[in-house]
Structures are given as structure tokens and as C-alpha cells.
Amino acid sequence: MATLLYRLGKFSYRHRWLVISLWLAVLVAVGGSAAAFHGTMSNNFQIPGTETQRMLDKLKRDLPEASGGSAGIVFEAGSGGFDQAGKDAVASALDKLKELPTVQSTVNPFDVQAELDKAPAAVEQGEKQAAAGNARLEQARAQLTAGEARLKTAEQQMAGAGMPAAAIDAQLAPQKAELAAGKAKLEAGEKQAAEGAEKLALAKRQLEASQGMRFVSEDGKAAIAQVQFKTSINALTPADRQQVQDVVHGVSSAGVTALASKEITEDVSQLFGIAEIVGIAVAALALIVMLGTLIAAGLPLLMAVVGVAVGVGGTFALTGVIDMSSISPMLALMLGLAVGIDYSLFIVNRHRGQLLAGMDPEESAALATGTSGNAVLFAGLTVVIALAALVVPGLPFLAVMGLSAAATVAVAVVVSLTLTPAMLSLIGRRLISKRAWAKAARHNAEPGHEAADRAADAAKSNRGWGALVTRHPVWFLLAGVVLLGVLALPAAQLRLALPDGGSEPVDSQAFKAYDLTRKSFGEGVTGPIVVVGELPGGLSDAAAVNKQLDVAAELRSVDKVVAAAPVALSPATGSDGHRTAVFQVIPQDGPASESTVQVVSELRAKGSDIKADTGVTIGLTGQTAGNVDVSGKLGAALPPYLAIVVGLSVILLLLVFRSLVVPLLATGGFLLSLAAAFGAVVAVYQWGWLGPVFDVANPGAVLSFLPIILIGVLFGLAMDYQVFITSGMRESFMHGESARPAVRSGFSHAAAVVTAAAIIMVSVFAGFIFSHLTMVRPLGFAMAFGVLVDAFVVRMTILPAAMYLLGGKAWWLPRWLDRVLPDVDVEGASLERTGARVSAADDAGEAKEPVA
């Protein structure tokens, strides 16, 4: 592989304009495709086949007007509450919303609250009227009984006096007619009373079902309106969302503030923000310090931009045909920038050092591609494997996320191996400053400088961090493990959920809407649970309504349910009657809270009781239930995914280093850094430690797909540093040094570039900690912290200490396995043996182009 990459580097160097032109063509093609075919990104994390999705599909069939997404808009009045002008302004804004093509319906909070407020008085009045009516019926019943008794007595007296029956009937006919009329009137009254009692009972049940529901706060200063859309929330374009906000913000003229919820305000169309640019600027500064010139520093940045433009552009172009979450291109962007800079840096740094040592520029570029480029290829392959394995859990949005990021990393590798040597040919001597050239020329002109260089290298390997670690390997090994163990302790309390409005920045409209809703109506109103019921067939209108109320009463019996009310009933279809009912359940706490997860679980468990008692089959859907499903699926997918990623990568490292011990060390170190990263995320984003520093105003559960993404990304990146540091040690070992000195010299050669690469990667990831997309923030923090501890604690402290203690045992491989495994030569040692011969053969068939 090293020889093949050597030839590729030489080809790219000699045919620089061809390579550059090809990449420009790719950029134009990808850019045109992205502009022409891109669609709308969303944060739809639904999983096909789950109960949530099945119930949503049922609503689309039976109640399409209730199947679209819904969102809340909370209105806030001044200290005096809503006056009539404020109420009229809200009503007018909601009427205007109904005219938008994306809006199905709206609910005026003042009208609904007025009905709810009137209901108790109406029920009380109905009870009084029923009592009065019952009293009149009792009086009429008593009078009728008395009349019947008098008539019977008269009949007996007349019969006793010997009066003929015909005469008795004729004489008593008027009284009998009067009694019959009274009896008919009584029966009509009783029937009317029964109907009234039935209506009153229904009104009482409806009043009971509405308990805990409020649309205007008790202090009269806040009102919440529900907006039902024709499509899912995720299908709304940024323009649709902005249009809704523009309409409702018009109430400000009446002294009312309108705050739209996160579902409406969330804009996932923008990828870059100021924080991300700052992170790249820090990375550029690190490159300038390391490489010494703006041209040299700019080259890795340019390579990263090209890789990201192709990878993320291609991902963006597919949003028109693939349902893609906003975090997919963001993850590809983060990784593409980080690895793109690092991979090109490894090749440029090797080339720069070889040029200063006096090597021919073309040979240097080819050799750098064959050696450092070989390490880049295998390091990139570990990242691609880890990300592509995100398809294994079977979650569509996660598979798209992993594949898009893996493709971007693969593009970054190809850019580094082809475009980098082409650009090195174009830049020529300008890669290095004049001062550095002059210093190198003086040094190379000195007789015997090769021996002096080797002595200097040996002396250098006995100084610095690597030497310090290997002088006291046991202490540094223990210290590193203990440090990471302590950092990992909070991870034991890791709790997963998808973010709600409470995780947004405190100055955002979404957070203000969440906070006002929570304070005025209760936290559960920010994340209601939708329950769909399948009713038995053949129910009349009244029977269907009563059946709904029966189910609502059962739902309210679940612990920590504040309210459960029927909200929709499908139309009757012939003899089949009403078949689908919709309920809204308000939990006690917010959608991302642990208690709400428990409520969802208990509601589902209650389904069997509801089926037995009422004959109604229920299922849960909506954003809150869907988020719980996603978090549960992701948690269950973690162990098999970790096993697959680690297993595949251990095999790859076994091929690369031809050692059983090195892959196990690499994997053990990764698990330590992963646990430490989880611990730090829990401490900051779940517990709120250092919350003001990282803008975490409302600590809560950790982003549910953060662990599985972090496993894939961090493992791949950790193996990058493992490959670069350990390949340096193996190179020294293969060149004849004994095992322990090889640890020092290999570490010495790789430490500077790995340190710079880690700083660059941490800087890029850290830029996303303050992203405008709050969902990306904990992911950026986890990656930055994970890379920081993995690079500096695991790869640059624990690894050299362990390798030094193991000595030659670190490179042990059974003979039978040694014969079976192919030699991939990741450190490019074969090139030093065959490089001259390969170069001569190439030169015989092809003339060189002059160096620019």
C-alpha cells in the first residue's frame, strides 16, 4: 500500500493541473447539485415500525385534520392582564394564521377558557333545575296517585250502591280522562327529566375531563394558543415558520408579547455560525505557529474546505430525496473540517521536514504521501468504519447521519492523498520561509551533519514529555487511569432524552416561550402526550362520546398525569360508527424529564386495563412519546454498536501494527477516554456544572443520540492518533532500535504533529459548543473534550508508559498469525528500501515537470 500511495503522490505532483482541474470540476458539479436539488432539513427522529409511527399513520387515515403537527404560541400581557384590545389582537392574529396555507386550525384561548369557566356554573344551574324538575315530578306523581285513589273509592261506592257499570263509567269518564292526561304529562316529564339527567351527567363528566386544563393563566397575564398544521412540524420550511412568527408578533401593537415555541422557531437551514468560525480561526493560528508561513498553514485549511465542500455539499444535495436531520450535515461539517485539516497537516509536515533535510521536492512529496499518507489512509479507514457502522442499529436518521459523515471523511482522505501533493507541486519552495530555508541550507552544508542529526534526534528523544513519561512509566500510567476514572464517575447517572425548549439559550424566543408556559400553566403543557384510541364498532354519537370520557377517566388515573381530555373524534361511517378518538394527556413535568418517561411507560401499561374495561385499544403518538421511543431505541442499540465498532477496528489495527497487544491497548485507552467524555457531558449538561461558562441555563437529560455518535466519532479519531504515534514507534523498532528506546524516539518524532493536530481538532469541535443549533452544542463539547483527553492523557501519556513497560512484548504476534496477515506497512518502511528503485523506474518512463 505504501508503494501504491508513493506512486499516487508522484503522479499528483507531476500532473498537478490535471488533479486540480478534476477537483474543481467535482466542486462545481457538487455545488450545482446542492443548489438545484436540495430540500428541507428537519429534526424528525421518528422510527418506522414503532407504536408512535403506527398511531400517526392511523390518524392520517381516519382523522387527517388531526394528523399534522401542532405547536403552541404563548401570549403575555402587561401587569394588568389582558384588556379587550389585547384579546381582540390575539383573536385577529389567530384568524390570520388560519388563512396561511400551512395552517389547519387554531384555538382561541380566551373563547375556550370562557367556556371552561362557565362550565361549573352551568353544571350547578343544571343541577338546580334538575332538582326543581324532580320536585315538580314528585308532586305531580303524588297528585296522580291521590286522584287514582279517589277514583277507585268512587267506583267502589257506586258499585256498592248497585249502580250499573255503564252508568258508573259514564259518570266517572271526566275524572278518568283527567287522570289519563295527568299520567301522560307525568310520563313526558319523566322522559324529559331522564334526558336532562343524561345531559347533566355528560356535562359533569366533561367538566371532570377538563380539570387541570387551562388556556389563560389564573392571574390573567398569559394565554396559550394551539396551532394545528396541515403537515408535520418537520415539513415546515424556514419561510413557513417565519410567516407564522410575523403574523403573531403583530399583537405587539396592542401591548401583548407573542412567543412561539421551539417547534416553530427552530431553523435548521443554517450550518455555520460565528462560534464555528472562531474555532477554525484558532485552528489556523495553531497551523501558523507549527508550520511557520501563511501559505503552509493555509494549505491544510484549503484541503479541509475542499473536502467539506464536496462531502457536505453532496449531503446537502441529497436532502431533496432523503429525510435528513439537521445534525447530519453538521456532523459531516465538524468531522470534515477536523480530519481534513489533520490529514493534510500530517503529509505537509512530513514533506516540509524532508525538504529542509535536502530531499528533492518531487521525491519528498511522493515519499510523504507513501508514508504519512499511508497512515492517513488507515486512520481515515477506522473513522469511516466507525461512522458507517451507525447503520447497524437500524435507525434511519442515524444511518443517514453516519453515512453522510463517513462519506465526508472518505472525501477528506482522498483530497489529502491527491490534491495535497498537487498543491505542494504548485507551491514549491514557498511552503517554507526564507529564513528557514537559509538555516537549513547552512546546516546541510556542514560536513557530517547526518551523524549530528541522528545524535540530535537521540538526544531529543531523551528530553521532553515522552522521556519524562517513560522514566516513570508506572506513576504516569496510574495517574492517567485514575484521572480518567474520576472524570468518568458522573457517567453512571447518564440519562438520555431529546432536547426541548428548556435547552435553548435563555435569550431565545423558544426558551422564553418554554419558561412562560412552564410558570403560567405547568411544565407538562410544554410537552403533551397524544393518545389515540380505536373504539368498538357500531357506537352512536352519545355512546362514542361516553366511551371517550370513560377512557379519559382511566388515563387520568395514571400517576403524575395532571389532565387527560378528549380532543377529537372521527366522523361516523355508516353502521360502523365512530372508530378513532384522540386524547391529550398533560404530564406533571416537561417532555425531557424522567417522570414523563415513566408516565409514557405507565400509559402504555394501562392499555390492557382500558381494553378490558372499555373495549378501546389505545396507542401513544406525538413528539413527547416519539422522543421517548427514540431514546429507548438508541440506548438499546449502544452495546451491540460498541461491540461491532471495536471488533472491526481491532481487526484493522491488528493488520496495521501486526501486534496483538497494541490493538488491545488502543481499545482500552479509548474506553477510558469515552467514559471520561460521558462523565464530563453529564456534569455540564445534566448537572449544570460550569453552566454559565457553556451557556447551559437549564440542565437536563443528555441528547439521546450523543452516546452512539460519540462512540463512532471518538473511536475513529482516537485511532487516528494511535496510528500516527504508534506507527512512529514501530518505524523506529523496524529500523533496528530496541523496543524501549523505540518508544521514546517514535514518540519524539510524532509528538509535535499529533499535539498540533489534537489542538486543531479540539478547536474545531469547541467552536460548535456555542453553535446556534443547541442540539449540536453537547455533541461539540463531547467531541472536543473526548479528543482532548484521548490525545493528551491516553495516547501521549498512558500509551507510551504502557508500551515502555511492555518493551518487546508490545510487538508480539503468534507466528501462524504473522504468516496469515498481509503486511500493509503503515509506516512506509518498505519505501526506504525500494524508494530509489521505484523512483528510477518512474523517471525512465516519464519526464519531470519543473518545480514552481
Side-chain angles (χ1 to χ4, degrees):
M1 183 57 72
T3 301
L4 180 62
L5 292 177
Y6 173 92
R7 292 179 183 274
L8 178 62
K10 180 160 286 195
F11 176 88
S12 299
Y13 191 95
R14 289 180 174 178
H15 302 87
R16 60 193 183 198
W17 290 116
L18 174 62
V19 174
I20 292 171
S21 299
L22 287 174
W23 277 109
L24 283 174
V26 171
L27 279 171
V28 171
V30 170
S33 299
F37 305 120
H38 75 87
T40 302
M41 290 181 293
S42 70
N43 278 331
N44 179 14
F45 302 116
Q46 296 298 326
I47 304 172
T50 60
E51 178 187 283
T52 304
Q53 192 62 46
R54 289 196 304 273
M55 291 300 104
L56 185 59
D57 293 340
K58 179 176 175 59
L59 282 181
K60 289 178 180 178
R61 291 192 308 269
D62 300 347
L63 263 171
E65 64 274 13
S67 65
S70 64
I73 299 173
V74 61
F75 299 92
E76 184 177 24
S79 57
F82 286 94
D83 55 16
Q84 192 57 46
K87 293 179 181 179
D88 292 342
V90 171
S92 175
L94 294 175
D95 288 339
K96 289 178 182 178
L97 282 184
K98 292 179 188 176
E99 299 172 5
L100 297 181
T102 55
V103 175
Q104 176 73 38
S105 62
T106 61
V107 176
N108 186 317
F110 300 106
D111 292 346
V112 178
Q113 190 63 52
E115 291 180 9
L116 291 177
D117 291 342
K118 290 177 187 173
V123 168
E124 185 179 355
Q125 181 66 24
E127 288 177 335
K128 289 180 179 178
Q129 290 175 350
N134 287 332
R136 288 193 296 272
L137 285 174
E138 284 298 323
Q139 185 179 2
R141 197 176 289 115
Q143 290 174 349
L144 182 63
T145 301
E148 288 176 340
R150 287 194 298 271
L151 182 62
K152 187 174 183 180
T153 301
E155 284 181 334
Q156 290 174 348
Q157 289 174 350
M158 291 179 180
M163 186 179 288
I168 294 173
D169 289 339
Q171 187 171 347
L172 296 179
Q175 290 92 329
K176 287 183 177 180
E178 185 178 352
L179 283 175
K183 189 174 183 180
K185 185 176 180 181
L186 178 62
E187 289 175 349
E190 287 177 336
K191 182 179 179 182
Q192 185 177 4
E195 290 175 351
E198 186 177 340
K199 289 181 181 179
L200 180 61
L202 181 62
K204 285 182 177 180
R205 297 192 71 191
Q206 288 173 331
L207 177 61
E208 184 182 3
S210 67
Q211 292 299 314
M213 304 285 289
R214 289 202 65 86
F215 294 84
V216 178
S217 62
E218 292 184 355
D219 60 7
K221 296 178 182 179
I224 188 166
Q226 289 294 322
V227 180
Q228 184 79 32
F229 294 94
K230 295 179 180 177
T231 63
S232 70
I233 291 292
N234 299 307
L236 295 176
T237 66
D240 295 333
R241 298 168 188 271
Q242 190 58 51
Q243 198 173 23
V244 171
Q245 294 176 66
D246 291 341
V247 169
V248 298
H249 287 162
V251 300
S252 60
S253 60
V256 177
T257 302
L259 298 170
S261 64
K262 175 177 178 285
E263 290 79 12
I264 296 174
T265 62
E266 188 174 51
D267 181 7
V268 297
S269 60
Q270 182 183 356
L271 293 182
F272 250 118
I274 296 175
E276 292 90 334
I277 295 172
V278 171
I280 295 174
V282 174
L285 182 62
L287 286 169
I288 293 171
V289 171
M290 181 177 183
L291 298 176
T293 66
L294 289 174
I295 292 177
L299 183 55
L301 285 173
L302 177 62
M303 298 300 97
V305 168
V306 171
V308 163
V310 174
V312 177
T315 299
F316 197 58
L318 293 174
T319 55
V321 294
I322 297 175
D323 186 14
M324 190 175 296
S325 66
S326 64
I327 204 166
S328 294
M330 288 297 291
L331 181 62
L333 178 66
M334 276 193 285
L335 287 175
L337 283 173
V339 302
I341 293 172
D342 277 5
Y343 291 168
S344 183
L345 169 63
F346 291 133
I347 295 174
V348 170
N349 185 64
R350 180 91 177 213
H351 176 64
R352 181 177 179 274
Q354 291 170 169
L355 287 181
L356 290 174
M359 187 178 292
D360 172 71
E362 181 181 309
E363 179 66 18
S364 174
L367 188 61
T369 307
T371 52
S372 292
N374 202 18
V376 163
L377 177 63
F378 283 97
L381 192 55
T382 61
V383 182
V384 170
I385 288 174
L387 291 170
L390 287 172
V391 303
V392 172
L395 311 180
F397 73 90
L398 194 63
V400 171
M401 199 181 301
L403 290 176
S404 61
T408 304
V409 172
V411 170
V413 171
V414 178
V415 167
S416 299
L417 296 177
T418 57
L419 189 56
T420 299
M423 292 301 298
L424 290 175
S425 174
L426 188 65
I427 292 171
R429 293 176 60 89
R430 287 169 293 177
L431 185 73
I432 301 171
S433 66
K434 292 180 180 179
R435 180 182 299 176
W437 271 120
K439 182 179 179 181
R442 289 195 301 271
H443 175 75
N444 293 336
E446 296 175 0
H449 70 87
E450 293 90 351
D453 288 344
R454 287 193 293 272
D457 278 347
K460 180 183 176 183
S461 66
N462 290 316
R463 297 193 304 270
W465 181 254
L468 180 62
V469 169
T470 52
R471 284 195 195 100
H472 311 284
V474 174
W475 290 110
F476 276 97
L477 180 63
L478 291 175
V481 171
V482 169
L483 173 62
L484 295 181
V486 171
L487 290 172
L489 289 176
Q493 298 186 35
L494 176 67
R495 189 167 59 84
L496 304 178
L498 285 172
D500 54 24
S503 63
E504 296 293 306
V506 291
D507 58 347
S508 68
Q509 182 181 179
F511 180 84
K512 291 176 181 176
Y514 177 90
D515 194 45
L516 180 60
T517 303
R518 176 179 59 182
K519 292 176 180 176
S520 302
F521 302 99
E523 197 163 4
V525 176
T526 63
I529 301 166
V530 178
V531 177
V532 180
E534 184 174 355
L535 305 179
L539 294 179
S540 65
D541 293 351
V545 170
N546 275 291
K547 192 70 74 173
Q548 265 192 303
L549 293 170
D550 291 340
V551 174
E554 296 259 16
L555 294 175
R556 283 195 302 277
S557 68
V558 173
D559 188 33
K560 295 191 176 178
V561 167
V562 174
V567 292
L569 185 65
S570 66
T573 54
S575 61
D576 208 23
H578 305 271
R579 293 308 302 267
T580 303
V582 183
F583 307 84
Q584 189 177 74
V585 176
I586 307 298
Q588 179 177 297
D589 298 314
S593 69
E594 196 169 3
S595 69
T596 299
V597 174
Q598 184 63 28
V599 167
V600 168
S601 176
E602 291 183 11
L603 285 172
R604 285 176 169 152
K606 189 76 173 176
S608 58
D609 293 339
I610 293 175
K611 174 69 173 176
D613 296 341
T614 66
V616 178
T617 303
I618 68 164
L620 274 57
T621 189
Q623 195 75 22
T624 300
N627 290 354
V628 171
D629 285 347
V630 170
S631 299
K633 288 278 188 180
L634 287 168
L638 274 178
Y641 173 71
L642 181 60
I644 290 169
V645 168
V646 170
L648 289 175
S649 297
V650 164
I651 293 172
L652 183 64
L653 290 174
L654 185 64
L655 289 172
V656 169
F657 294 116
R658 305 183 70 78
S659 163
L660 285 177
V661 176
V662 170
L664 296 177
L665 277 178
T667 304
F670 156 72
L671 294 175
L672 281 173
S673 54
L674 178 68
F678 282 161
V681 168
V682 169
V684 173
Y685 290 91
Q686 189 172 313
W687 294 355
W689 291 6
L690 300 177
V693 175
F694 296 102
D695 195 19
V696 182
N698 191 28
V702 174
L703 183 67
S704 58
F705 51 82
L706 182 148
I708 200 164
I709 292 178
L710 184 61
I711 288 172
V713 172
L714 186 58
F715 191 86
L717 299 181
M719 294 309 104
D720 280 2
Y721 300 131
Q722 179 75 26
V723 167
F724 285 107
I725 289 180
T726 314
S727 62
M729 297 176 183
R730 178 171 168 79
E731 185 175 357
S732 298
F733 182 68
M734 295 297 291
H735 287 173
E737 286 191 54
S738 56
R740 287 182 172 173
V743 171
R744 286 187 178 179
S745 60
F747 182 90
S748 177
H749 291 151
V753 68
V754 170
T755 299
I759 291 172
I760 289 166
M761 199 169 281
V762 169
S763 301
V764 172
F765 289 152
F768 289 85
I769 294 175
F770 301 98
S771 171
H772 63 291
L773 293 175
T774 53
M775 194 177 296
V776 175
R777 293 183 174 193
L779 194 56
F781 173 85
M783 289 183 181
F785 188 85
V787 169
L788 184 69
V789 297
D790 190 86
F792 293 106
V793 180
V794 175
R795 309 302 155 191
M796 300 185 73
T797 304
I798 294 176
L799 176 66
M803 294 283 285
Y804 192 84
L805 287 171
L806 288 169
K809 295 176 183 177
W811 305 109
W812 177 76
L813 186 68
R815 289 183 181 179
W816 65 269
L817 192 55
D818 186 46
R819 289 192 299 269
V820 172
L821 291 178
D823 187 2
V824 298
D825 187 24
V826 69
E827 69 279 351
S830 61
L831 288 178
E832 296 198 0
R833 300 190 297 270
T834 62
R837 178 165 48 81
V838 171
S839 180
D842 289 344
D843 292 343
E846 191 173 3
K848 295 186 195 178
E849 290 185 20
V851 178

